[in-house]
Every structure is written in C-alpha cells, then in structure tokens.
Amino acid sequence: MAIGIAAWGTVAGVAMLRSGLPIPVAVLMSLLVFAGSAQLAVLPLIAIGSPLWVIWATALCVNLRFVVFSVQWRPYFGHLPRARRLSLGYFSGDTLYVIFMRKFPVAAPGPGQVRYFWGAALTNWATWQVSSIAGILIGEAVPESWGVGFAGTMALLGLACPLLRGPSTYVAAVVAGGAAVAAYGLPMKLNILVAIGAAVTAGVLMDAARPRGRK
C-alpha cells in the first residue's frame, strides 16, 4: 500500500507545483486537505482560474464517497466520542477503507479495530505527506516529457479499479467515462461534474432496478 501511496503522493505534489501554487501554499494544501483525488481534480481548475464555486463543487462531488465510507464505518466506531470520530474522519482514505473492510468484514465493534485503523492511517498519512512534499520540492526538476499528468491519471485508475464491485459500480464507471468524454467541450472542466452526476444517477438506477434481497 505504501509504495502506491508514495507514487500517487509524488505525482500530486508535482501537479500542485505545476498548477502555479506557491510552494508554501502547496505544502499547506497537502497538510490541510489530505484528499489526493480531490486535489488532483481541482488543480486544473485552479490553474485556469475557474470560479471558486466550481472548485468547491468539484471537490465536494469527488469526496462524496466519504459519506458512504462513514456510514460503513459507523458500526465499528459509532460508540467513540465525537472528537475521536472526527479525527478518524480526517485520517480516513480510500485504500484504508478497502483494507479495513477486508480485515474486519463483520460490521460490529471488536478488539483491535481502532489500533488497526490508526496503524494503517498513520502509515498512509506519513507516506502521503512525505511523498507529496517531496514532489512539491522537486517538481521544477521533473521534465514535462515524463508525462507526470498522465501518471496521475493512471494512479487514480489504479485506485478506482479495485473499488469496482458488482454491476452497479461497473456501469457507473463506464457511464462516467462516456459522460466525461462527451462533455469534454464544456468550459472550466465542467465535464467532471457532468461525469460524476451521470455516474451517481446510473448507480442509483441500477441499485433501484435490482431485485430485492439480491446482493
């Protein structure tokens, strides 16, 4: 997990610098936001000077999946004080969610769950911050010919593919890709919002059409 996070963090750091952010702002963004996919999604919008509401809306849509993650984690951590749950929320991530659910498939509190979460979360956080800040500091030395932007896209694909489970997610992914390409001509990267909306709609319709009791 750490190797993939390190590669993704480095790409995100280079992308932040290439988007025109000053180094202190880029470092602060890495430390405070700590949301790689949202950061990569909004950086092109920041670079072209998109309105603030478009940037916020894009980040919100990209991170909507954490609402689902939180609902799934509630049976495990719902008994903890609110402050501790908020800290868990900041450190949560996609890969952490996947490995935690594989480790603890039964949705109920149990021994070792909080320690397991923190062990994986702190490893994830430290790896991301070190690699991301390294990418920010060495970004100017990375040639354009290396295709860093494409590497970032491949990193996101590598993260998204293991999360595809069942017909609904596959259909949503295909619809998202098609909508993003079809709406590519829209200004301010609005095709990203179109793709997210189309994917969510497709996934909801697929789930609604599924026979009851079938998983």
Side-chain angles (χ1 to χ4, degrees), residues 162-184:
L163 299 177
L164 299 179
R165 297 177 180 178
S168 298
T169 56
Y170 283 105
V171 170
V174 172
V175 169
V181 174
Y184 184 75

Side-chain angles (χ1 to χ4, degrees), residues 109-207:
Q113 291 175 348
V114 174
R115 290 196 301 272
Y116 185 88
F117 180 97
W118 280 117
L122 292 177
T123 301
N124 183 33
W125 185 87
T127 304
W128 172 266
Q129 298 299 351
V130 170
S131 59
S132 177
I133 293 173
I136 293 170
L137 297 178
I138 67 171
E140 292 291 352
V142 178
E144 293 282 354
S145 59
W146 286 13
V148 171
F150 183 69
T153 302
M154 296 304 294
L156 286 176
L157 284 175
L159 178 68
C161 288
L163 299 177
L164 299 179
R165 297 177 180 178
S168 298
T169 56
Y170 283 105
V171 170
V174 172
V175 169
V181 174
Y184 184 75
L186 292 177
M188 298 182 294
K189 302 287 184 180
L190 287 175
N191 61 320
I192 296 175
L193 295 182
V194 172
I196 293 172
V200 171
T201 303
V204 170
L205 291 177
M206 285 289 292
D207 281 336

